[in-house]
């Protein structure tokens, strides 16, 4: 099988700090792959290696079968990247920002308005970037990544700091891109984003991939963390095992009419990460 992205034993060090340590994984064509980890885990560095902006110290990486250290201009043209508003020109309008990149990509400017409509920025096309909200800037960065009809999208924390409504809009756009067959490499520390969007995820901690697989499979793997969380009417919180051993205790609480609320605490990518590392994804 040919893969959209392949990494084999990638390592890189900055000064004396080991940033990535023998990273290996692959991403199938048309999949959304999520790389989860807290700030400083090495996510952005990995994207820069995969897109040819950095060279690894050892190991190899390929995009669409090509070594990332030797990507041609034509191959770069098959990649779209969104990295923390990098490359937006504050004094230019929304339209002129995309026009600038359309000329670089040698794309007709006639596609710009359709792109802006698809991303919800058409009405703001004449507005200077400096006057946009963070959410609108994120959408403009995403529009720039989409405008060359890329086969591969690299999105570095695309919904970081955004309100729920804007986040939902961006998720819908990414789902549409997947339907078109676009492969998406997504970095995030948002477990809900990863669980709802990604076909496969890798958990990255201090430069190492500590878990890899389908989100649901990883959650099932840590199902021993599943508990019953009971809130009693006197305000007391009780945690019980979610199995038959807790039946008599639950029965006793119910018979005494002591329960205010009860729910199960199914394992999530966040709880799996905490068990593996002792810290959260934030």
């Amino acid at each position: 099988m040919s893969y959209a992205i392949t990494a084999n034993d990638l390592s890189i060090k900055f000064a004396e700090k080991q940033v990535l340590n023998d990273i290996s994984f692959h991403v199938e064509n048309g999949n959304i792959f999520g790389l989860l980890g807290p700030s400083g885990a090495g996510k952005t560095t990995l994207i820069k290696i995969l897109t040819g902006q950095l060279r690894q110290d050892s190991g190899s990486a390929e995009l669409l079968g090509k070594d990332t250290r030797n990507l041609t201009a034509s191959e770069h043209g098959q990649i779209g990247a969104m990295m923390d508003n990098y490359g937006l020109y504050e004094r230019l309008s929304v339209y002129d920002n995309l026009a600038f990149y359309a000329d670089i990509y040698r794309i007709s400017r006639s596609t710009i308005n359709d792109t802006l409509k698809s991303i919800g920025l058409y009405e703001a096309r004449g507005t200077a970037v400096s006057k946009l909200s963070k959410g609108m800037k994120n959408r403009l960065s995403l529009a720039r990544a989409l405008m060359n009809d890329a086969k591969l999208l690299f999105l570095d924390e695309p919904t970081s700091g955004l309100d729920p409504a804007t986040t939902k809009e961006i998720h819908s756009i990414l789902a549409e891109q997947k339907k078109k067959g676009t492969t998406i490499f997504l970095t995030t520390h948002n477990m809900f984003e990863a669980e709802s969007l990604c076909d496969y995820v890798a958990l990255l901690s201090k430069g190492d991939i500590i878990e890899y697989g389908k989100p649901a499979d990883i959650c099932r793997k840590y199902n021993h963390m599943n508990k019953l969380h009971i809130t009693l009417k006197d305000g007391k919180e009780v945690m019980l095992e979610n199995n038959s051993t807790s039946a008599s205790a639950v029965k006793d609480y119910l018979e005494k009419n002591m329960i205010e609320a009860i729910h199960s605490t199914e394992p999530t990518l966040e709880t799996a990460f905490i068990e593996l590392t002792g810290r959260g994804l934030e």
Side-chain angles (χ1 to χ4, degrees), residues 109-127:
R109 291 189 178 191
S110 64
T111 65
I112 293 174
N113 284 336
D114 285 341
T115 300
L116 290 175
K117 288 175 183 177
S118 72
I119 211 80
L121 285 178
Y122 181 72
E123 298 301 322
R125 62 192 181 281
T127 304

Side-chain angles (χ1 to χ4, degrees), residues 22 32 48 63 72 85 99 115 140 156 166 174 183 188 213 221 226 239 258-259 280:
D22 292 332
I32 299 180
K48 288 182 176 180
L63 294 187
T72 65
N85 296 327
T115 300
L140 180 56
D156 193 11
T166 304
L174 299 186
T183 304
T188 183
K221 183 176 179 179
N226 193 356
M239 298 293 289
M258 297 174 65
I259 295 178

Side-chain angles (χ1 to χ4, degrees), residues 5 23 39 65 89 91 101 136 156 193-194 196 227 252 266:
I5 304 171
I23 297 295
S39 298
Y89 295 93
R91 297 173 66 181
Y101 283 100
M136 295 174 79
D156 193 11
E193 186 164 79
S196 62
K227 305 285 185 181
D252 186 54
E266 292 84 0

